[in-house]
Amino acid sequence: MLKCVSCKREVTDNYIKFKCPNCGREIIRCHNCREIAARYTCPECGLEGP
Ligand SMILES: [Zn+2]
Ligand SMILES: [Zn+2]
C-alpha cells in the first residue's frame, strides 16, 4: 500500500514518486498535496522539503 507522506492518505494513481535528495528513500505524494505544495518529511532521515 502506498501512502502520501504529507497527508498519510492512501494513494492509488495520480501521485508522484521521487527520491529523497538526502538518503534516496522513495517518497510518495498525492496529487492534492503536490498542488497545494504541502511540505514533506522523509520517513527515513527526517528531511523536510517543499
Ligand atoms: Zn497527500
Ligand atoms: Zn531521506
Side-chain angles (χ1 to χ4, degrees):
M1 187 176 86
L2 301 172
K3 270 193 198 165
C4 169
V5 296
S6 295
C7 66
K8 313 285 196 259
R9 269 185 290 207
E10 188 177 352
V11 293
T12 47
D13 53 6
N14 215 356
Y15 65 88
I16 53 156
K17 196 160 70 169
F18 60 98
K19 288 206 161 83
C20 171
N22 188 45
C23 68
R25 171 82 136 77
E26 209 163 69
I27 292 176
I28 289 167
R29 286 174 100 196
C30 67
H31 179 71
N32 183 52
C33 285
R34 204 194 136 193
E35 217 148 71
I36 64 173
R39 297 179 71 78
Y40 66 84
T41 304
C42 173
E44 196 71 38
C45 69
L47 181 85
E48 283 185 32

